[in-house]
Amino acid sequence: MSTASDHLMHVADKPKAVMVRGRGSWLYDREGREYLDFVQGWAVNLLGHCPDVVQRALARQAAELVHAGPGLHNAVSGALAEALAAGTRLDRVFIATSGAEANEGAIKLARKWGAARRGGAYGLITTDGGLHGRTLPTMSASGKPGWDALFEPKVPGFHKVPFGDAAAVEAAIDDATVGIMVEPIQGEAGVVVPPEGYLRELRAIADRHGLLLILDEIQTGMGRTGRLFASEWENVCPDIVTVGKGLGAGVPISAVVAREEICCFEPGDQGGTFAGNPLSCAVGLAVIETISEPAFLERTLQASARLRSGLDAIALRHGGGRARGRGLLLALPLARPVAIEVARIAFERGLLVNAPRPTTIRLVPALNVSDADIDVALERLEACIESALEVA
């Protein structure tokens, strides 16, 4: 049997194991080894692997309508748009398939609005360390180290400032600026949490200068931080918000949601073959219904407290900083730059964690992760840290 990588482009370094089955917080490879998954497809599998609610939504919708095409209405996309508008306190929705596609749609919408309402303004202030996707425009908007020299020439119009510094945002505004685009918490940068009140300050700056506030909630949305959207922690309503990852709980879907007054797209400006695909939309609806149950996010915050407490205890015993993040988007700072080695050892011992920075371990388990699985993950993680520190 050929390996999984024989005919795939090499775009990431991956272990040789081939995953064939998943259930809840556990993954299983072709050889029958099991892995406790605290990466969950990079925060995608909101409800764990193969949740019943997703299986039922897929089966039910597959028997009725899989794809009608972007040139026709379908009932499921309309229902999902209504749910997203209600959840974001906004008005209009464009349904796409990936986070990068949603963020690019938000950039396009902002530029179209700037051309019509702000004298041709097109520039967006973004942040160092931010990650908004891997298309050319979203890479240009991102501040990921090392990306500045890739795929030149970059798409112009993005001015990067330090994350968490509202004064730097205001100082960067000029006549060409149309808006501000940030993540409420920077996930790929290592779960970087801005100072309290940062989003409120950005909302005030945008209002003072007549700019758009765009929040990239691809990773922080859909309950990941313990609220439906991370912006709710500061009671901030953006002009445009992007949603993805957890919205489909493993099924590809994303969305751009905006205020009515911002929605200036005309027919032909925006689209996509799979935009509003009924199969994906049915899953998105099921996910929103599930996490909107009164007790669901309360339980997520309880799980967060348990995991955070365990991580803080590990830090106390082995050095490093206290856990940071919100909800079940957490990171453990290490005392030494051994995170990549910790993640490697963890994989060998049946635990999936992510090392976004040399001194940072990131954990993004399913929002319905059990206490028992949290305890197993903490035990395995500590053993892996001890092993990595011994040889460092």
Side-chain angles (χ1 to χ4, degrees):
M1 182 182 294
S2 66
T3 67
S5 61
D6 283 351
H7 299 286
L8 295 173
M9 288 190 184
H10 183 73
V11 297
D13 292 322
K14 303 177 184 180
K16 292 184 179 180
V18 179
M19 302 303 165
V20 296
R21 184 168 60 89
R23 187 68 175 173
S25 289
W26 295 86
L27 264 177
Y28 303 86
D29 71 15
R30 193 159 59 189
E31 305 305 317
R33 291 185 293 265
E34 64 178 21
Y35 304 83
L36 180 53
D37 189 356
F38 269 50
V39 175
Q40 288 291 351
W42 270 251
V44 165
N45 301 324
L46 202 74
L47 305 175
H49 293 282
C50 301
D52 291 342
V53 65
V54 170
Q55 293 186 50
R56 289 194 297 267
L58 286 171
R60 183 171 58 249
Q61 189 59 42
E64 295 178 355
L65 179 65
V66 172
H67 189 62
L72 297 169
H73 285 300
N74 70 78
V76 197
S77 65
L80 178 59
E82 182 178 1
L84 285 170
T88 57
R89 296 178 288 169
L90 297 171
D91 304 297
R92 297 281 180 176
V93 180
F94 173 76
I95 301 170
T97 54
S98 71
E101 188 181 358
N103 281 334
E104 188 161 328
I107 292 166
K108 289 168 64 177
L109 184 58
R111 289 190 169 186
K112 181 75 184 283
W113 183 85
R117 304 288 181 84
R118 198 173 162 81
Y122 62 92
L124 286 171
I125 298 170
T126 60
T127 58
D128 298 330
L131 193 147
H132 300 291
R134 294 177 184 272
T135 64
L136 276 176
T138 55
M139 288 185 76
S140 300
S142 300
K144 183 177 173 70
W147 276 16
D148 54 336
L150 285 175
F151 312 123
E152 293 295 312
K154 287 291 189 300
V155 176
F158 300 99
H159 188 138
K160 298 177 185 66
V161 300
F163 182 66
D165 188 341
V169 170
E170 190 154 29
I173 296 170
D174 60 25
D175 290 342
T177 305
V178 71
I180 304 160
M181 183 175 186
V182 300
E183 302 160 272
I185 296 172
Q186 289 187 334
E188 294 299 318
V191 190
V192 181
V193 182
E196 183 69 27
Y198 177 61
L199 296 184
R200 285 195 299 270
E201 290 185 73
L202 295 186
R203 178 71 273 175
I205 290 168
D207 290 342
R208 277 198 300 273
H209 296 273
L211 305 178
L212 302 179
L213 177 61
I214 305 170
L215 294 185
D216 174 351
E217 293 238 28
I218 300 298
Q219 186 160 164
T220 58
M222 292 294 103
R224 175 55 61 183
T225 69
R227 299 277 178 89
L228 188 58
F229 292 96
S231 58
E232 293 178 27
W233 288 102
E234 294 194 18
N235 195 27
V236 167
C237 187
D239 300 295
I240 304 173
V241 63
T242 54
V243 190
K245 287 188 182 288
L247 176 61
V251 173
I253 187 170
S254 64
V256 185
V257 193
R259 285 196 296 116
E260 181 75 45
E261 310 90 275
I262 308 303
C263 296
C264 54
F265 280 148
E266 299 175 276
D269 287 349
Q270 180 69 345
T273 301
F274 293 99
N277 172 266
L279 199 62
S280 300
C281 289
V283 173
L285 265 176
V287 168
I288 291 175
E289 290 170 359
T290 299
I291 65 177
S292 295
E293 290 291 326
F296 186 91
L297 291 182
E298 180 181 340
R299 164 58 198 162
T300 295
L301 289 173
Q302 292 170 357
S304 171
R306 188 182 191 93
L307 180 55
R308 184 188 287 271
S309 176
L311 294 174
D312 286 344
I314 291 172
L316 187 64
R317 289 189 288 269
H318 301 286
R322 293 172 64 87
R324 62 175 182 258
R326 277 193 187 274
L328 288 174
L329 173 57
L330 295 175
L332 178 65
L334 302 177
R336 301 175 69 180
V338 295
I340 293 174
E341 181 66 5
V342 170
R344 185 192 66 78
I345 295 171
F347 183 86
E348 292 178 351
R349 298 181 184 181
L351 173 66
L352 303 187
V353 294
N354 173 231
R357 292 292 182 269
T359 58
T360 304
I361 293 293
R362 180 174 57 160
L363 302 100
V364 280
L367 298 194
N368 54 359
V369 62
S370 70
D371 287 348
D373 286 343
I374 289 172
D375 293 345
V376 171
L378 288 167
E379 181 181 353
R380 292 186 184 182
L381 178 61
E382 183 166 19
C384 295
I385 292 171
E386 289 173 351
S387 296
L389 290 174
E390 284 174 2
V391 300

